[in-house]
Amino acid sequence: MPIKVEIVSPEKILFSHKADMVVMPGSEGDIAAMPEHAPLMLMLRGGVVEIYEGDAIAHRFFVSGGFADMTPDHCTILADHATPVTELSATDAESRLAALEKSYDEADKMNVPALDILMDKMQSARAEIEAANSATPEMSI
């Protein structure tokens, strides 16, 4: 019996479909939502959400962070920002990472909460670069 999966960003409902399993980038490590999963709410880090139909990955989305709410028959991902992996741009993410690294270098090192936020954003940008590069087929020479 599949579970209902929804990926919601501030802009819109990006995905709503039934799936056999969803693997998400939890803040403490990757976690899978499957039918009959115990109710759980968790924070997400920047990374790729993989949605399985049977044994195969049918859909991949990059989320920059957010929360996931899992029940035995439903998984709702409330993403800060979500994009299909095929629409990611490594160049844009690299530019964003460079700007974040510059901000980090110039930040007040005594302002730990601000540094933590910048570190989370840099981790998300690095994960986005990796996801964008994994979506691009390698070219042979």
Side-chain angles (χ1 to χ4, degrees):
M1 175 169 122
I3 59 172
K4 173 80 175 197
V5 179
E6 290 186 316
I7 299 177
V8 181
S9 71
E11 298 87 27
K12 63 183 176 182
I13 296 174
L14 189 63
F15 182 84
S16 181
H17 200 290
K18 294 212 178 251
D20 293 304
M21 180 173 69
V22 182
V23 178
M24 299 164 280
S27 61
E28 302 290 322
D30 291 355
I31 189 166
M34 297 180 287
E36 303 305 320
H37 194 290
L40 178 69
M41 189 157 209
L42 74 144
M43 272 181 50
L44 300 175
R45 70 180 192 284
V48 176
V49 174
E50 295 176 327
I51 301 166
Y52 286 76
E53 292 177 8
D55 292 336
I57 298 171
H59 307 279
R60 296 177 75 221
F61 294 89
F62 179 81
V63 295
S64 61
F67 293 89
D69 180 30
M70 292 183 273
T71 68
D73 62 355
H74 200 95
C75 177
T76 302
I77 296 171
L78 304 168
D80 296 338
H81 180 75
T83 306
V85 168
T86 56
E87 296 177 16
L88 293 176
S89 166
T91 304
D92 291 347
E94 288 165 354
S95 296
R96 193 168 43 261
L97 177 59
L100 288 165
E101 288 172 338
K102 183 175 188 240
S103 294
Y104 185 86
D105 290 341
E106 296 170 354
D108 175 7
K109 300 304 185 251
M110 298 303 289
N111 188 348
V112 175
L115 294 175
D116 286 345
I117 291 169
L118 284 169
M119 289 294 288
D120 286 346
K121 288 181 178 183
M122 287 189 295
Q123 181 277 328
S124 182
R126 287 184 185 107
E128 185 174 348
I129 293 165
E130 184 178 327
N133 288 332
S134 74
T136 306
E138 294 192 28
M139 300 177 71
S140 57
I141 299 176

